[in-house]
Amino acid sequence: LTARARYSLAVNVLAPFLLTSLLLPNVRASGAGRVLVTSSISAGSNDALDDLQCASSWSAHRAYELSKLCDAMMIQEMHARYADPPALTFHT
């Protein structure tokens, strides 16, 4: 990964994942927990998964697009693993 791609992934995906993971016990204990990850219209490009390192063509938009796609995938997986509606749900 280029430094710029790593930064985009760290800020837009890894940081929200870490924060959500650390807060999950408290959110769950609230009895009405909601985790919301903001999305973007840019998150729709599945072909970005073929080039996770942005090796073929790096641009700020491409890195952002990839990070938002990863966010959507992350929140779907967290919902599948940890959701207990209506006590705890995950949304994007």
PDB file of all heavy atoms in Angstrom, residues 48-85:
ATOM      1  N   ALA A  48     -13.207  -2.303  -6.839  1.00  0.00           N
ATOM      2  CA  ALA A  48     -12.116  -1.817  -5.990  1.00  0.00           C
ATOM      3  C   ALA A  48     -11.519  -2.947  -5.158  1.00  0.00           C
ATOM      4  O   ALA A  48     -10.354  -2.885  -4.761  1.00  0.00           O
ATOM      5  CB  ALA A  48     -12.615  -0.693  -5.083  1.00  0.00           C
ATOM      6  N   LEU A  49     -12.297  -3.986  -4.890  1.00  0.00           N
ATOM      7  CA  LEU A  49     -11.803  -5.106  -4.098  1.00  0.00           C
ATOM      8  C   LEU A  49     -10.708  -5.881  -4.812  1.00  0.00           C
ATOM      9  O   LEU A  49      -9.937  -6.603  -4.182  1.00  0.00           O
ATOM     10  CB  LEU A  49     -12.958  -6.042  -3.733  1.00  0.00           C
ATOM     11  CG  LEU A  49     -13.995  -5.446  -2.798  1.00  0.00           C
ATOM     12  CD1 LEU A  49     -15.149  -6.412  -2.599  1.00  0.00           C
ATOM     13  CD2 LEU A  49     -13.374  -5.081  -1.467  1.00  0.00           C
ATOM     14  N   ASP A  50     -10.625  -5.758  -6.120  1.00  0.00           N
ATOM     15  CA  ASP A  50      -9.575  -6.434  -6.878  1.00  0.00           C
ATOM     16  C   ASP A  50      -8.230  -5.730  -6.758  1.00  0.00           C
ATOM     17  O   ASP A  50      -7.201  -6.281  -7.150  1.00  0.00           O
ATOM     18  CB  ASP A  50      -9.955  -6.530  -8.358  1.00  0.00           C
ATOM     19  CG  ASP A  50     -11.139  -7.457  -8.579  1.00  0.00           C
ATOM     20  OD1 ASP A  50     -11.334  -8.384  -7.761  1.00  0.00           O
ATOM     21  OD2 ASP A  50     -11.860  -7.247  -9.569  1.00  0.00           O
ATOM     22  N   ASP A  51      -8.230  -4.528  -6.228  1.00  0.00           N
ATOM     23  CA  ASP A  51      -6.996  -3.749  -6.112  1.00  0.00           C
ATOM     24  C   ASP A  51      -6.955  -3.052  -4.757  1.00  0.00           C
ATOM     25  O   ASP A  51      -6.960  -1.827  -4.662  1.00  0.00           O
ATOM     26  CB  ASP A  51      -6.923  -2.725  -7.260  1.00  0.00           C
ATOM     27  CG  ASP A  51      -5.589  -2.005  -7.316  1.00  0.00           C
ATOM     28  OD1 ASP A  51      -4.596  -2.528  -6.766  1.00  0.00           O
ATOM     29  OD2 ASP A  51      -5.545  -0.908  -7.897  1.00  0.00           O
ATOM     30  N   LEU A  52      -6.892  -3.845  -3.693  1.00  0.00           N
ATOM     31  CA  LEU A  52      -6.931  -3.298  -2.335  1.00  0.00           C
ATOM     32  C   LEU A  52      -5.756  -2.381  -2.034  1.00  0.00           C
ATOM     33  O   LEU A  52      -5.847  -1.521  -1.162  1.00  0.00           O
ATOM     34  CB  LEU A  52      -6.960  -4.428  -1.307  1.00  0.00           C
ATOM     35  CG  LEU A  52      -8.257  -5.230  -1.245  1.00  0.00           C
ATOM     36  CD1 LEU A  52      -8.099  -6.382  -0.265  1.00  0.00           C
ATOM     37  CD2 LEU A  52      -9.420  -4.349  -0.849  1.00  0.00           C
ATOM     38  N   GLN A  53      -4.665  -2.559  -2.723  1.00  0.00           N
ATOM     39  CA  GLN A  53      -3.494  -1.741  -2.469  1.00  0.00           C
ATOM     40  C   GLN A  53      -3.421  -0.522  -3.376  1.00  0.00           C
ATOM     41  O   GLN A  53      -2.446   0.228  -3.331  1.00  0.00           O
ATOM     42  CB  GLN A  53      -2.233  -2.584  -2.612  1.00  0.00           C
ATOM     43  CG  GLN A  53      -2.196  -3.703  -1.594  1.00  0.00           C
ATOM     44  CD  GLN A  53      -0.918  -4.505  -1.677  1.00  0.00           C
ATOM     45  OE1 GLN A  53       0.092  -4.032  -2.199  1.00  0.00           O
ATOM     46  NE2 GLN A  53      -0.953  -5.705  -1.176  1.00  0.00           N
ATOM     47  N   CYS A  54      -4.438  -0.330  -4.201  1.00  0.00           N
ATOM     48  CA  CYS A  54      -4.465   0.792  -5.150  1.00  0.00           C
ATOM     49  C   CYS A  54      -3.194   0.807  -5.995  1.00  0.00           C
ATOM     50  O   CYS A  54      -2.659   1.862  -6.320  1.00  0.00           O
ATOM     51  CB  CYS A  54      -4.657   2.127  -4.440  1.00  0.00           C
ATOM     52  SG  CYS A  54      -6.206   2.268  -3.539  1.00  0.00           S
ATOM     53  N   ALA A  55      -2.703  -0.387  -6.338  1.00  0.00           N
ATOM     54  CA  ALA A  55      -1.459  -0.497  -7.089  1.00  0.00           C
ATOM     55  C   ALA A  55      -1.638  -0.131  -8.558  1.00  0.00           C
ATOM     56  O   ALA A  55      -0.753   0.463  -9.172  1.00  0.00           O
ATOM     57  CB  ALA A  55      -0.904  -1.913  -6.975  1.00  0.00           C
ATOM     58  N   SER A  56      -2.773  -0.493  -9.122  1.00  0.00           N
ATOM     59  CA  SER A  56      -2.961  -0.235 -10.556  1.00  0.00           C
ATOM     60  C   SER A  56      -3.225   1.228 -10.849  1.00  0.00           C
ATOM     61  O   SER A  56      -2.766   1.755 -11.854  1.00  0.00           O
ATOM     62  CB  SER A  56      -4.090  -1.101 -11.110  1.00  0.00           C
ATOM     63  OG  SER A  56      -5.314  -0.731 -10.543  1.00  0.00           O
ATOM     64  N   SER A  57      -3.961   1.871  -9.972  1.00  0.00           N
ATOM     65  CA  SER A  57      -4.209   3.298 -10.177  1.00  0.00           C
ATOM     66  C   SER A  57      -4.639   3.917  -8.857  1.00  0.00           C
ATOM     67  O   SER A  57      -5.695   3.614  -8.336  1.00  0.00           O
ATOM     68  CB  SER A  57      -5.285   3.523 -11.237  1.00  0.00           C
ATOM     69  OG  SER A  57      -6.514   2.988 -10.817  1.00  0.00           O
ATOM     70  N   TRP A  58      -3.785   4.765  -8.317  1.00  0.00           N
ATOM     71  CA  TRP A  58      -4.116   5.427  -7.069  1.00  0.00           C
ATOM     72  C   TRP A  58      -4.653   6.812  -7.366  1.00  0.00           C
ATOM     73  O   TRP A  58      -4.139   7.554  -8.187  1.00  0.00           O
ATOM     74  CB  TRP A  58      -2.902   5.570  -6.156  1.00  0.00           C
ATOM     75  CG  TRP A  58      -3.320   6.053  -4.799  1.00  0.00           C
ATOM     76  CD1 TRP A  58      -3.630   5.269  -3.741  1.00  0.00           C
ATOM     77  CD2 TRP A  58      -3.522   7.404  -4.374  1.00  0.00           C
ATOM     78  NE1 TRP A  58      -4.023   6.036  -2.680  1.00  0.00           N
ATOM     79  CE2 TRP A  58      -3.967   7.364  -3.046  1.00  0.00           C
ATOM     80  CE3 TRP A  58      -3.400   8.634  -4.984  1.00  0.00           C
ATOM     81  CZ2 TRP A  58      -4.257   8.495  -2.311  1.00  0.00           C
ATOM     82  CZ3 TRP A  58      -3.700   9.777  -4.254  1.00  0.00           C
ATOM     83  CH2 TRP A  58      -4.118   9.693  -2.922  1.00  0.00           C
ATOM     84  N   SER A  59      -5.722   7.140  -6.673  1.00  0.00           N
ATOM     85  CA  SER A  59      -6.213   8.511  -6.641  1.00  0.00           C
ATOM     86  C   SER A  59      -6.893   8.677  -5.286  1.00  0.00           C
ATOM     87  O   SER A  59      -7.296   7.700  -4.661  1.00  0.00           O
ATOM     88  CB  SER A  59      -7.202   8.784  -7.777  1.00  0.00           C
ATOM     89  OG  SER A  59      -8.432   8.129  -7.532  1.00  0.00           O
ATOM     90  N   ALA A  60      -7.012   9.888  -4.844  1.00  0.00           N
ATOM     91  CA  ALA A  60      -7.659  10.144  -3.556  1.00  0.00           C
ATOM     92  C   ALA A  60      -9.091   9.613  -3.570  1.00  0.00           C
ATOM     93  O   ALA A  60      -9.555   9.017  -2.599  1.00  0.00           O
ATOM     94  CB  ALA A  60      -7.639  11.632  -3.238  1.00  0.00           C
ATOM     95  N   HIS A  61      -9.780   9.799  -4.688  1.00  0.00           N
ATOM     96  CA  HIS A  61     -11.159   9.319  -4.785  1.00  0.00           C
ATOM     97  C   HIS A  61     -11.214   7.796  -4.750  1.00  0.00           C
ATOM     98  O   HIS A  61     -12.082   7.222  -4.108  1.00  0.00           O
ATOM     99  CB  HIS A  61     -11.831   9.845  -6.052  1.00  0.00           C
ATOM    100  CG  HIS A  61     -13.268   9.440  -6.131  1.00  0.00           C
ATOM    101  ND1 HIS A  61     -13.684   8.312  -6.781  1.00  0.00           N
ATOM    102  CD2 HIS A  61     -14.376  10.005  -5.600  1.00  0.00           C
ATOM    103  CE1 HIS A  61     -14.994   8.194  -6.656  1.00  0.00           C
ATOM    104  NE2 HIS A  61     -15.432   9.214  -5.944  1.00  0.00           N
ATOM    105  N   ARG A  62     -10.272   7.139  -5.420  1.00  0.00           N
ATOM    106  CA  ARG A  62     -10.255   5.673  -5.436  1.00  0.00           C
ATOM    107  C   ARG A  62     -10.009   5.123  -4.032  1.00  0.00           C
ATOM    108  O   ARG A  62     -10.645   4.166  -3.606  1.00  0.00           O
ATOM    109  CB  ARG A  62      -9.182   5.182  -6.402  1.00  0.00           C
ATOM    110  CG  ARG A  62      -9.116   3.692  -6.553  1.00  0.00           C
ATOM    111  CD  ARG A  62     -10.325   3.210  -7.282  1.00  0.00           C
ATOM    112  NE  ARG A  62     -10.108   1.835  -7.704  1.00  0.00           N
ATOM    113  CZ  ARG A  62     -11.036   1.099  -8.244  1.00  0.00           C
ATOM    114  NH1 ARG A  62     -12.227   1.592  -8.455  1.00  0.00           N
ATOM    115  NH2 ARG A  62     -10.798  -0.126  -8.591  1.00  0.00           N
ATOM    116  N   ALA A  63      -9.096   5.722  -3.286  1.00  0.00           N
ATOM    117  CA  ALA A  63      -8.812   5.280  -1.924  1.00  0.00           C
ATOM    118  C   ALA A  63     -10.028   5.516  -1.025  1.00  0.00           C
ATOM    119  O   ALA A  63     -10.373   4.670  -0.195  1.00  0.00           O
ATOM    120  CB  ALA A  63      -7.587   6.001  -1.380  1.00  0.00           C
ATOM    121  N   TYR A  64     -10.682   6.658  -1.194  1.00  0.00           N
ATOM    122  CA  TYR A  64     -11.887   6.959  -0.422  1.00  0.00           C
ATOM    123  C   TYR A  64     -13.000   5.969  -0.764  1.00  0.00           C
ATOM    124  O   TYR A  64     -13.673   5.442   0.125  1.00  0.00           O
ATOM    125  CB  TYR A  64     -12.344   8.391  -0.715  1.00  0.00           C
ATOM    126  CG  TYR A  64     -13.623   8.782  -0.023  1.00  0.00           C
ATOM    127  CD1 TYR A  64     -13.627   9.100   1.323  1.00  0.00           C
ATOM    128  CD2 TYR A  64     -14.828   8.828  -0.712  1.00  0.00           C
ATOM    129  CE1 TYR A  64     -14.797   9.459   1.967  1.00  0.00           C
ATOM    130  CE2 TYR A  64     -16.002   9.188  -0.076  1.00  0.00           C
ATOM    131  CZ  TYR A  64     -15.977   9.497   1.257  1.00  0.00           C
ATOM    132  OH  TYR A  64     -17.139   9.848   1.895  1.00  0.00           O
ATOM    133  N   GLU A  65     -13.171   5.704  -2.033  1.00  0.00           N
ATOM    134  CA  GLU A  65     -14.182   4.757  -2.510  1.00  0.00           C
ATOM    135  C   GLU A  65     -13.954   3.376  -1.888  1.00  0.00           C
ATOM    136  O   GLU A  65     -14.892   2.739  -1.390  1.00  0.00           O
ATOM    137  CB  GLU A  65     -14.062   4.691  -4.029  1.00  0.00           C
ATOM    138  CG  GLU A  65     -14.962   3.742  -4.734  1.00  0.00           C
ATOM    139  CD  GLU A  65     -14.698   3.782  -6.229  1.00  0.00           C
ATOM    140  OE1 GLU A  65     -13.582   3.447  -6.673  1.00  0.00           O
ATOM    141  OE2 GLU A  65     -15.641   4.143  -6.953  1.00  0.00           O
ATOM    142  N   LEU A  66     -12.724   2.930  -1.897  1.00  0.00           N
ATOM    143  CA  LEU A  66     -12.385   1.638  -1.321  1.00  0.00           C
ATOM    144  C   LEU A  66     -12.643   1.629   0.183  1.00  0.00           C
ATOM    145  O   LEU A  66     -13.191   0.672   0.721  1.00  0.00           O
ATOM    146  CB  LEU A  66     -10.921   1.306  -1.608  1.00  0.00           C
ATOM    147  CG  LEU A  66     -10.397   0.005  -1.024  1.00  0.00           C
ATOM    148  CD1 LEU A  66     -11.195  -1.188  -1.550  1.00  0.00           C
ATOM    149  CD2 LEU A  66      -8.927  -0.163  -1.354  1.00  0.00           C
ATOM    150  N   SER A  67     -12.282   2.705   0.874  1.00  0.00           N
ATOM    151  CA  SER A  67     -12.487   2.747   2.318  1.00  0.00           C
ATOM    152  C   SER A  67     -13.968   2.728   2.676  1.00  0.00           C
ATOM    153  O   SER A  67     -14.373   2.088   3.647  1.00  0.00           O
ATOM    154  CB  SER A  67     -11.796   3.967   2.939  1.00  0.00           C
ATOM    155  OG  SER A  67     -12.443   5.166   2.609  1.00  0.00           O
ATOM    156  N   LYS A  68     -14.799   3.389   1.904  1.00  0.00           N
ATOM    157  CA  LYS A  68     -16.240   3.383   2.181  1.00  0.00           C
ATOM    158  C   LYS A  68     -16.858   2.022   1.880  1.00  0.00           C
ATOM    159  O   LYS A  68     -17.777   1.577   2.569  1.00  0.00           O
ATOM    160  CB  LYS A  68     -16.945   4.489   1.394  1.00  0.00           C
ATOM    161  CG  LYS A  68     -16.682   5.864   1.977  1.00  0.00           C
ATOM    162  CD  LYS A  68     -17.092   5.864   3.436  1.00  0.00           C
ATOM    163  CE  LYS A  68     -16.940   7.174   4.113  1.00  0.00           C
ATOM    164  NZ  LYS A  68     -17.421   7.144   5.490  1.00  0.00           N
ATOM    165  N   LEU A  69     -16.350   1.337   0.866  1.00  0.00           N
ATOM    166  CA  LEU A  69     -16.809  -0.019   0.586  1.00  0.00           C
ATOM    167  C   LEU A  69     -16.433  -0.940   1.742  1.00  0.00           C
ATOM    168  O   LEU A  69     -17.251  -1.748   2.199  1.00  0.00           O
ATOM    169  CB  LEU A  69     -16.208  -0.515  -0.728  1.00  0.00           C
ATOM    170  CG  LEU A  69     -16.589  -1.916  -1.162  1.00  0.00           C
ATOM    171  CD1 LEU A  69     -18.107  -2.040  -1.342  1.00  0.00           C
ATOM    172  CD2 LEU A  69     -15.871  -2.271  -2.461  1.00  0.00           C
ATOM    173  N   CYS A  70     -15.218  -0.800   2.246  1.00  0.00           N
ATOM    174  CA  CYS A  70     -14.787  -1.592   3.401  1.00  0.00           C
ATOM    175  C   CYS A  70     -15.621  -1.278   4.637  1.00  0.00           C
ATOM    176  O   CYS A  70     -15.947  -2.181   5.417  1.00  0.00           O
ATOM    177  CB  CYS A  70     -13.310  -1.360   3.673  1.00  0.00           C
ATOM    178  SG  CYS A  70     -12.209  -2.076   2.442  1.00  0.00           S
ATOM    179  N   ASP A  71     -15.989  -0.011   4.836  1.00  0.00           N
ATOM    180  CA  ASP A  71     -16.870   0.363   5.950  1.00  0.00           C
ATOM    181  C   ASP A  71     -18.200  -0.378   5.871  1.00  0.00           C
ATOM    182  O   ASP A  71     -18.695  -0.906   6.867  1.00  0.00           O
ATOM    183  CB  ASP A  71     -17.157   1.869   5.945  1.00  0.00           C
ATOM    184  CG  ASP A  71     -16.085   2.673   6.633  1.00  0.00           C
ATOM    185  OD1 ASP A  71     -15.288   2.095   7.392  1.00  0.00           O
ATOM    186  OD2 ASP A  71     -16.050   3.897   6.395  1.00  0.00           O
ATOM    187  N   ALA A  72     -18.789  -0.389   4.682  1.00  0.00           N
ATOM    188  CA  ALA A  72     -20.083  -1.056   4.514  1.00  0.00           C
ATOM    189  C   ALA A  72     -19.956  -2.555   4.789  1.00  0.00           C
ATOM    190  O   ALA A  72     -20.821  -3.151   5.443  1.00  0.00           O
ATOM    191  CB  ALA A  72     -20.614  -0.809   3.099  1.00  0.00           C
ATOM    192  N   MET A  73     -18.875  -3.157   4.317  1.00  0.00           N
ATOM    193  CA  MET A  73     -18.662  -4.581   4.561  1.00  0.00           C
ATOM    194  C   MET A  73     -18.432  -4.855   6.044  1.00  0.00           C
ATOM    195  O   MET A  73     -18.942  -5.832   6.596  1.00  0.00           O
ATOM    196  CB  MET A  73     -17.478  -5.066   3.731  1.00  0.00           C
ATOM    197  CG  MET A  73     -17.749  -5.028   2.243  1.00  0.00           C
ATOM    198  SD  MET A  73     -16.290  -5.277   1.231  1.00  0.00           S
ATOM    199  CE  MET A  73     -15.796  -6.898   1.714  1.00  0.00           C
ATOM    200  N   MET A  74     -17.686  -3.978   6.704  1.00  0.00           N
ATOM    201  CA  MET A  74     -17.400  -4.134   8.124  1.00  0.00           C
ATOM    202  C   MET A  74     -18.687  -4.074   8.947  1.00  0.00           C
ATOM    203  O   MET A  74     -18.924  -4.904   9.815  1.00  0.00           O
ATOM    204  CB  MET A  74     -16.438  -3.039   8.593  1.00  0.00           C
ATOM    205  CG  MET A  74     -16.194  -3.033  10.094  1.00  0.00           C
ATOM    206  SD  MET A  74     -15.355  -1.553  10.670  1.00  0.00           S
ATOM    207  CE  MET A  74     -16.620  -0.317  10.472  1.00  0.00           C
ATOM    208  N   ILE A  75     -19.538  -3.103   8.655  1.00  0.00           N
ATOM    209  CA  ILE A  75     -20.749  -2.941   9.458  1.00  0.00           C
ATOM    210  C   ILE A  75     -21.730  -4.083   9.215  1.00  0.00           C
ATOM    211  O   ILE A  75     -22.426  -4.525  10.134  1.00  0.00           O
ATOM    212  CB  ILE A  75     -21.387  -1.543   9.240  1.00  0.00           C
ATOM    213  CG1 ILE A  75     -22.139  -1.097  10.505  1.00  0.00           C
ATOM    214  CG2 ILE A  75     -22.292  -1.501   8.057  1.00  0.00           C
ATOM    215  CD1 ILE A  75     -21.272  -0.756  11.645  1.00  0.00           C
ATOM    216  N   GLN A  76     -21.767  -4.606   8.001  1.00  0.00           N
ATOM    217  CA  GLN A  76     -22.609  -5.780   7.728  1.00  0.00           C
ATOM    218  C   GLN A  76     -22.113  -6.985   8.515  1.00  0.00           C
ATOM    219  O   GLN A  76     -22.910  -7.751   9.065  1.00  0.00           O
ATOM    220  CB  GLN A  76     -22.638  -6.089   6.240  1.00  0.00           C
ATOM    221  CG  GLN A  76     -23.476  -5.127   5.450  1.00  0.00           C
ATOM    222  CD  GLN A  76     -23.474  -5.452   3.962  1.00  0.00           C
ATOM    223  OE1 GLN A  76     -22.640  -6.198   3.462  1.00  0.00           O
ATOM    224  NE2 GLN A  76     -24.417  -4.864   3.252  1.00  0.00           N
ATOM    225  N   GLU A  77     -20.814  -7.158   8.578  1.00  0.00           N
ATOM    226  CA  GLU A  77     -20.250  -8.278   9.333  1.00  0.00           C
ATOM    227  C   GLU A  77     -20.484  -8.107  10.831  1.00  0.00           C
ATOM    228  O   GLU A  77     -20.821  -9.071  11.534  1.00  0.00           O
ATOM    229  CB  GLU A  77     -18.760  -8.427   9.040  1.00  0.00           C
ATOM    230  CG  GLU A  77     -18.118  -9.615   9.713  1.00  0.00           C
ATOM    231  CD  GLU A  77     -18.670 -10.960   9.256  1.00  0.00           C
ATOM    232  OE1 GLU A  77     -19.162 -11.068   8.122  1.00  0.00           O
ATOM    233  OE2 GLU A  77     -18.598 -11.923  10.061  1.00  0.00           O
ATOM    234  N   MET A  78     -20.336  -6.898  11.344  1.00  0.00           N
ATOM    235  CA  MET A  78     -20.599  -6.664  12.767  1.00  0.00           C
ATOM    236  C   MET A  78     -22.069  -6.928  13.086  1.00  0.00           C
ATOM    237  O   MET A  78     -22.385  -7.489  14.135  1.00  0.00           O
ATOM    238  CB  MET A  78     -20.191  -5.247  13.170  1.00  0.00           C
ATOM    239  CG  MET A  78     -18.699  -5.042  13.154  1.00  0.00           C
ATOM    240  SD  MET A  78     -18.214  -3.403  13.706  1.00  0.00           S
ATOM    241  CE  MET A  78     -17.571  -3.819  15.323  1.00  0.00           C
ATOM    242  N   HIS A  79     -22.957  -6.528  12.185  1.00  0.00           N
ATOM    243  CA  HIS A  79     -24.370  -6.798  12.399  1.00  0.00           C
ATOM    244  C   HIS A  79     -24.628  -8.305  12.422  1.00  0.00           C
ATOM    245  O   HIS A  79     -25.359  -8.805  13.284  1.00  0.00           O
ATOM    246  CB  HIS A  79     -25.229  -6.122  11.328  1.00  0.00           C
ATOM    247  CG  HIS A  79     -26.689  -6.246  11.589  1.00  0.00           C
ATOM    248  ND1 HIS A  79     -27.345  -5.445  12.502  1.00  0.00           N
ATOM    249  CD2 HIS A  79     -27.622  -7.085  11.077  1.00  0.00           C
ATOM    250  CE1 HIS A  79     -28.620  -5.796  12.546  1.00  0.00           C
ATOM    251  NE2 HIS A  79     -28.811  -6.779  11.686  1.00  0.00           N
ATOM    252  N   ALA A  80     -24.012  -9.027  11.501  1.00  0.00           N
ATOM    253  CA  ALA A  80     -24.202 -10.487  11.448  1.00  0.00           C
ATOM    254  C   ALA A  80     -23.668 -11.162  12.717  1.00  0.00           C
ATOM    255  O   ALA A  80     -24.266 -12.114  13.216  1.00  0.00           O
ATOM    256  CB  ALA A  80     -23.510 -11.058  10.215  1.00  0.00           C
ATOM    257  N   ARG A  81     -22.573 -10.661  13.255  1.00  0.00           N
ATOM    258  CA  ARG A  81     -21.955 -11.299  14.418  1.00  0.00           C
ATOM    259  C   ARG A  81     -22.555 -10.878  15.757  1.00  0.00           C
ATOM    260  O   ARG A  81     -22.676 -11.694  16.668  1.00  0.00           O
ATOM    261  CB  ARG A  81     -20.458 -10.986  14.460  1.00  0.00           C
ATOM    262  CG  ARG A  81     -19.672 -11.684  13.398  1.00  0.00           C
ATOM    263  CD  ARG A  81     -18.210 -11.334  13.523  1.00  0.00           C
ATOM    264  NE  ARG A  81     -17.466 -11.934  12.440  1.00  0.00           N
ATOM    265  CZ  ARG A  81     -16.255 -12.434  12.564  1.00  0.00           C
ATOM    266  NH1 ARG A  81     -15.648 -12.385  13.729  1.00  0.00           N
ATOM    267  NH2 ARG A  81     -15.652 -12.953  11.530  1.00  0.00           N
ATOM    268  N   TYR A  82     -22.877  -9.588  15.896  1.00  0.00           N
ATOM    269  CA  TYR A  82     -23.191  -9.059  17.224  1.00  0.00           C
ATOM    270  C   TYR A  82     -24.596  -8.500  17.409  1.00  0.00           C
ATOM    271  O   TYR A  82     -24.980  -8.215  18.538  1.00  0.00           O
ATOM    272  CB  TYR A  82     -22.190  -7.950  17.593  1.00  0.00           C
ATOM    273  CG  TYR A  82     -20.755  -8.373  17.471  1.00  0.00           C
ATOM    274  CD1 TYR A  82     -19.903  -7.752  16.567  1.00  0.00           C
ATOM    275  CD2 TYR A  82     -20.246  -9.400  18.252  1.00  0.00           C
ATOM    276  CE1 TYR A  82     -18.578  -8.140  16.442  1.00  0.00           C
ATOM    277  CE2 TYR A  82     -18.925  -9.795  18.136  1.00  0.00           C
ATOM    278  CZ  TYR A  82     -18.094  -9.170  17.230  1.00  0.00           C
ATOM    279  OH  TYR A  82     -16.787  -9.553  17.111  1.00  0.00           O
ATOM    280  N   ALA A  83     -25.338  -8.334  16.335  1.00  0.00           N
ATOM    281  CA  ALA A  83     -26.648  -7.688  16.464  1.00  0.00           C
ATOM    282  C   ALA A  83     -27.609  -8.522  17.296  1.00  0.00           C
ATOM    283  O   ALA A  83     -27.577  -9.754  17.259  1.00  0.00           O
ATOM    284  CB  ALA A  83     -27.238  -7.417  15.091  1.00  0.00           C
ATOM    285  N   ASP A  84     -28.446  -7.824  18.012  1.00  0.00           N
ATOM    286  CA  ASP A  84     -29.509  -8.429  18.808  1.00  0.00           C
ATOM    287  C   ASP A  84     -30.686  -7.457  18.790  1.00  0.00           C
ATOM    288  O   ASP A  84     -31.001  -6.830  19.802  1.00  0.00           O
ATOM    289  CB  ASP A  84     -29.015  -8.674  20.229  1.00  0.00           C
ATOM    290  CG  ASP A  84     -30.045  -9.356  21.103  1.00  0.00           C
ATOM    291  OD1 ASP A  84     -30.967  -9.985  20.560  1.00  0.00           O
ATOM    292  OD2 ASP A  84     -29.918  -9.237  22.342  1.00  0.00           O
ATOM    293  N   PRO A  85     -31.329  -7.303  17.608  1.00  0.00           N
ATOM    294  CA  PRO A  85     -32.398  -6.300  17.481  1.00  0.00           C
ATOM    295  C   PRO A  85     -33.526  -6.573  18.460  1.00  0.00           C
ATOM    296  O   PRO A  85     -33.853  -7.724  18.698  1.00  0.00           O
ATOM    297  CB  PRO A  85     -32.885  -6.455  16.050  1.00  0.00           C
ATOM    298  CG  PRO A  85     -31.803  -7.193  15.336  1.00  0.00           C
ATOM    299  CD  PRO A  85     -31.101  -8.013  16.381  1.00  0.00           C
TER     300      PRO A  85
END
